[in-house]
Amino acid sequence: MSLPRFSRPLSLALIAALPGLPALAQSVAPGATIQLGTIHLDADNPVKLRFGATAGGVALIDRSDTPGDKAAPTLSEALSGTPGVVVQEFFGGNDQPRIQIRGSGQQQNPAERGLLVLMDGMPVNRADGSYVVGLALPGQAESIEIFRGASANRLGATVLGGALNFASPSGASAPGLRLSVGGGSFGRGDLAASYGIDGEAADTLLRFEHSEAEGYRDYNGSRRTSVGGNVTFATGAATTRLFFSHTDLSFDVAGPLTWDAMLNNPTSHHAGPVPVGGVPTQPGPNVLRDLPHRDTVQTLAGLRTTWENGAQVWDLGLSLSRTDDSFTFPVSGAVRATDGNDATLTARYALQGTGDLPLFEAGLSWSFGEADRDWNHNLRGNPGPAFGRNRLKAETLSLYAGANVEIGGFTLSPAVAFIHAERRNNDLWTGATRPTLTFTPAGPVIGSAPFTATDYDRSWSGFAPSLALSWQPAADQFAWISLSKSYEPPTHDDLIGAIGGTPNSGPTGLATPDLEAQSAVTLEAGWRGTRGALTWDVTAYHSRLKNELLSLRDSSGVQLAAVNAGRTVHSGLELGLSGELSETLSARLAWTWQDFRFDNDPLRGDNKLAGAPENVITLALAWQATEALSLNGKLHWVPGRTPVDNMNTLFNDSYALVDVGAEYAVSETAVVFARVSNLFDERYASSTLVLDQARPDQAAFIPGTGRAFYLGARLNF
């Protein structure tokens, strides 16, 4: 897949620390309502107060009126510096980064499970819980709401990781024409535009975003185009928002390298196993033969209505989505094409009390969907012989009820969620055998393998209770402790996968493992507050998991069907600090420490789970040099070694990256900015394959992008 050069982009996002937050039209904070008109940020902002009083790991990234360094930022760029959120770039550009919170879904590359991803409060996820992370549009969000762990249970996300909500601006909060454009190294180009109308009866916003890049490596192109908008209006006591989004995403999968190749020739591609004396060495995919890539198109439309009746708040939502996803894996994984429709109905009720949080809150989330999944062998980057066809159906129901009761100087917050999930698969293959494909020196050879039906009809039900106790030790401080349970049924991607392939041959069949739901009991405590010029937010947690869903991979790095681990343990610390060092100089620090291990596994003992860096540290400085000129710098440091495999035999080394940038306000309506990423041109692996057992010579390391320059401008009319 070759992509044309697009040579123009720029601006829009600086990540803000928790205390300086906006009110959000499509917030999913407890008891939030849709708002009409421009909402000013002040100390009494209800959304800010609700986040501050939530007994759980929460964060809010304000993008509504702060400057930024990219016109169409990627998810890794937008979430950089957020404690507890670990984003590892996979291939640069608008690709599929591995994103995980508290280890949820960490063994997937790309991530497809473990988080609930919302747009304006409605899910991007499909009905089975899977999602395509590259469909998230951080550059088009006015704010990003982050709910870690049990704080997301009320949204129907009873997963270990939590939820992300991308809240869009409205015509009232972003009136007029706004244009951002920029471009830089490796053929990167971005263009973003929006037009908002703040009318008397309704406000309207239309938006457009396009981003593409040739990429750091030769076969490394990416492209994403999105159009969307919303209309917000009031009828009596009710306020309604209608919204839609259409996103077209494609990217090349440049593939992993051996450690030696990553250090000495990071822009190269692996060419498959190298035979030495008739024995294959350096296992890995043949990228330029198989040309792996992904093409995904999703159309999402929905509405949300909220209305207030005294102390009572009602919220109803409905969304419909169409997702066409074609993933061309290396030959061992074949071509997986999934086209389907999903629908979600949400209902929430809140009874406001005297505090910042609702006295009582209840919710329902019901998703159902159907998709056709076709399997074809990968014949030099194109669909070859078909060997499977499935009709997949999914239904997930979540019910929630919780309260916040003031007892003396404390607040007791009991809650419980119930989850019921159904996954059905009808095998539509009618042949007596399945064709196979093998690459030989003479060319591809077609064979056959016995047919085994893959039908399944499975269901899971479970409860996710929680109990939190919070208090304010001082007027500007908040502390809490909680005990909770998560319950996560598997997705179709866990339940069915291609097996039997090698780096030079296609799958021989499909596996359908009989999986249990993943569950975890988590104890966590947190403290957030302000003292003088210093603001802090710290959360510590310890989770004991049962039946953790792990994704195994073959020697090409292709994901196989999932397995349930025995008992595992996830522990971590999420720390954010920000402060004013002087009248013109400010600093932010984000530190995520995580320790994920097997618990006395018969084969792996107490080994660390593969794929999770132990420490991720980001330090950002901002200096307002003059009224018009601001300078900034960022250090991103991953110290220590990260295991590539669960057997802990292969590791990724530590690395540190430095970025610098500048922004200059030419006028009240025009801003130009520039940025240099990876200033010292560090050679490093931004991510790795996640394997159960790796070889020292395996192609398992994903090179990070080298030094890159970016220049752009932002215009408001």
Side-chain angles (χ1 to χ4, degrees):
M1 179 172 58
S2 61
L3 297 174
R5 177 183 292 269
F6 181 85
S7 57
R8 303 161 299 194
L10 190 258
S11 113
L12 198 71
L14 183 73
I15 296 178
L18 180 65
L21 302 174
L24 309 174
Q26 289 291 71
S27 171
V28 289
T33 59
I34 300 173
Q35 301 292 327
L36 277 173
T38 302
I39 305 172
H40 299 285
L41 173 62
D42 54 44
D44 296 326
N45 182 284
V47 172
K48 175 181 177 180
L49 294 174
R50 286 167 184 152
F51 267 79
T54 297
V58 295
L60 195 55
I61 299 176
D62 177 10
R63 301 177 51 82
S64 59
D65 58 0
T66 53
D69 59 2
K70 296 289 170 64
T74 65
L75 197 61
S76 58
E77 292 165 341
L79 295 177
S80 174
T82 305
V85 182
V86 177
V87 185
Q88 298 167 288
E89 289 189 1
F90 205 25
F91 298 120
N94 293 309
D95 63 32
Q96 297 280 275
R98 177 193 292 145
I99 177 172
Q100 56 96 349
I101 297 176
R102 301 184 179 182
S104 186
Q106 68 164 348
Q107 295 217 336
Q108 291 193 319
N109 241 352
E112 296 179 319
R113 172 179 47 77
L115 292 174
L116 175 63
V117 181
L118 304 167
M119 182 182 297
D120 289 331
M122 301 306 293
V124 174
N125 300 60
R126 307 198 66 170
D128 68 341
S130 63
Y131 65 95
V132 180
V133 67
L135 295 173
L137 299 169
Q140 295 298 311
E142 188 171 51
S143 60
I144 304 173
E145 299 178 326
I146 301 171
F147 301 86
R148 305 189 302 272
S151 63
N153 283 9
R154 44 180 290 277
L155 302 174
T158 58
V159 296
L160 179 66
L164 304 174
N165 180 45
F166 295 83
S168 302
S170 66
S173 64
L177 176 63
R178 303 189 178 196
L179 178 67
S180 299
V181 61
S185 301
F186 314 121
R188 177 161 178 177
D190 301 331
L191 174 64
S194 69
Y195 185 71
I197 302 174
D198 186 9
E200 294 184 3
D203 61 63
T204 304
L205 181 87
L206 297 175
R207 60 169 178 78
F208 169 83
E209 178 181 288
H210 179 84
S211 177
E212 63 179 72
E214 293 178 353
Y216 176 59
R217 301 165 71 184
D218 296 334
Y219 179 72
N220 198 187
S222 65
R223 175 180 54 81
R224 181 175 64 192
T225 302
S226 178
V227 296
N230 58 69
V231 177
T232 310
F233 57 91
T235 52
T239 303
T240 299
R241 172 173 285 190
L242 307 174
F243 60 91
F244 77 96
S245 176
H246 177 81
T247 304
D248 189 340
L249 167 73
S250 65
F251 61 91
D252 299 330
V253 178
L257 296 176
T258 64
W259 180 254
D260 181 71
M262 198 278 301
L263 291 179
N264 295 300
N265 193 6
T267 63
S268 65
H269 299 87
H270 197 63
V274 178
V276 177
V279 178
T281 65
Q282 301 181 29
N286 188 329
V287 172
L288 297 183
R289 181 196 65 197
D290 297 340
L291 298 176
H293 59 275
R294 191 170 196 175
D295 300 279
T296 305
V297 178
Q298 184 181 77
T299 302
L300 172 68
L303 65 85
R304 279 183 64 196
T305 297
T306 66
W307 68 94
E308 297 181 77
N309 181 14
Q312 300 182 83
V313 178
W314 300 84
D315 184 308
L316 294 177
L318 172 66
S319 66
L320 303 172
S321 65
R322 169 74 183 184
T323 307
D324 296 337
D325 177 42
S326 177
F327 202 147
T328 300
F329 292 92
V331 65
S332 62
V335 180
R336 187 191 74 188
T338 310
D339 303 332
N341 302 297
D342 297 272
T344 298
L345 174 67
T346 64
R348 300 188 186 100
Y349 168 80
L351 176 63
Q352 305 290 2
T354 57
D356 296 321
L357 296 180
L359 176 64
F360 175 76
E361 188 176 21
L364 173 149
S365 178
W366 179 33
S367 297
F368 50 94
E370 183 173 299
D372 289 325
R373 174 165 291 181
D374 294 327
W375 302 86
N376 291 74
H377 288 290
N378 179 349
L379 188 58
R380 303 190 185 280
N382 296 303
F387 67 92
R389 181 175 176 82
N390 305 94
R391 176 71 50 79
L392 306 176
K393 298 181 180 180
E395 185 174 346
T396 304
L397 172 68
S398 176
L399 304 173
Y400 173 86
N404 300 283
V405 182
E406 295 186 12
I407 304 175
F410 297 86
T411 299
L412 186 67
S413 302
V416 63
F418 171 76
I419 309 91
H420 176 75
E422 297 181 3
R423 311 284 185 258
R424 293 183 294 278
N425 165 36
N426 294 326
D427 195 327
L428 304 181
W429 187 255
T430 58
T433 61
R434 297 185 191 272
T436 61
L437 182 146
T438 302
F439 280 97
T440 70
V445 174
I446 306 299
S448 63
F451 166 73
T452 301
T454 62
D455 304 85
Y456 56 78
D457 187 349
R458 300 171 188 167
S459 63
W460 300 262
S461 297
F463 287 91
S466 63
L467 180 65
L469 182 68
S470 59
W471 68 101
Q472 286 188 279
D476 54 358
Q477 298 183 38
F478 179 83
W480 54 272
I481 186 170
S482 72
L483 183 67
S484 63
K485 182 181 179 182
S486 63
Y487 186 83
E488 182 176 353
T491 68
H492 280 303
D493 294 335
D494 298 317
L495 293 167
I496 184 169
I499 59 170
T502 74
N504 290 314
S505 63
T508 57
L510 300 170
T512 55
D514 188 9
L515 298 175
E516 300 290 338
Q518 173 181 302
S519 62
V521 175
T522 300
L523 176 67
E524 57 183 306
W527 180 28
R528 63 179 72 106
T530 301
R531 177 63 61 88
L534 178 67
T535 297
W536 66 89
D537 186 353
V538 58
T539 301
Y541 66 89
H542 179 78
S543 301
R544 304 196 71 86
L545 284 73
K546 183 179 179 182
N547 297 318
E548 181 169 1
L549 292 164
L550 302 182
S551 299
L552 301 183
R553 294 179 177 273
D554 63 21
S555 58
S556 295
V558 172
Q559 179 178 314
L560 305 174
V563 298
N564 285 123
R567 296 188 180 274
T568 52
V569 178
H570 292 209
S571 302
L573 181 69
E574 304 156 344
L575 171 65
L577 293 174
S578 64
E580 304 294 329
L581 304 182
S582 69
E583 291 185 356
T584 59
L585 182 64
S586 62
R588 291 182 293 111
L589 172 69
W591 172 36
T592 301
W593 171 78
Q594 48 192 19
D595 185 72
F596 308 150
R597 296 180 178 271
F598 292 94
D599 185 9
N600 197 28
D601 184 85
L603 183 61
R604 303 165 190 86
D606 295 334
N607 283 357
K608 290 187 175 182
L609 287 161
E614 184 174 2
N615 291 280
V616 179
I617 300 169
T618 301
L619 174 63
L621 297 173
W623 178 38
Q624 192 68 41
T626 68
E627 185 176 350
L629 176 65
S630 62
L631 305 174
N632 60 80
K634 184 175 70 174
L635 169 67
H636 181 72
W637 182 27
V638 181
R641 301 194 307 164
T642 302
V644 173
D645 62 342
N646 293 325
M647 299 303 295
N648 293 181
T649 62
L650 187 64
F651 294 85
N652 186 19
D653 280 357
S654 63
Y655 63 89
L657 308 175
V658 175
D659 302 339
V660 294
E663 182 173 295
Y664 184 76
V666 179
S667 66
E668 292 184 357
T669 60
V671 175
V672 295
F673 56 84
R675 189 161 192 83
V676 182
S677 303
N678 192 2
L679 178 65
F680 300 108
D681 202 20
E682 175 85 358
R683 291 193 176 183
Y684 69 103
S686 60
S687 182
T688 70
L689 301 183
V690 179
L691 305 162
D692 193 50
Q693 172 71 69
R695 287 178 41 162
D697 61 342
Q698 184 152 5
F701 301 92
I702 312 297
T705 302
R707 184 190 296 118
F709 300 89
Y710 192 90
L711 178 67
R714 181 175 66 252
L715 305 172
N716 294 334
F717 302 96

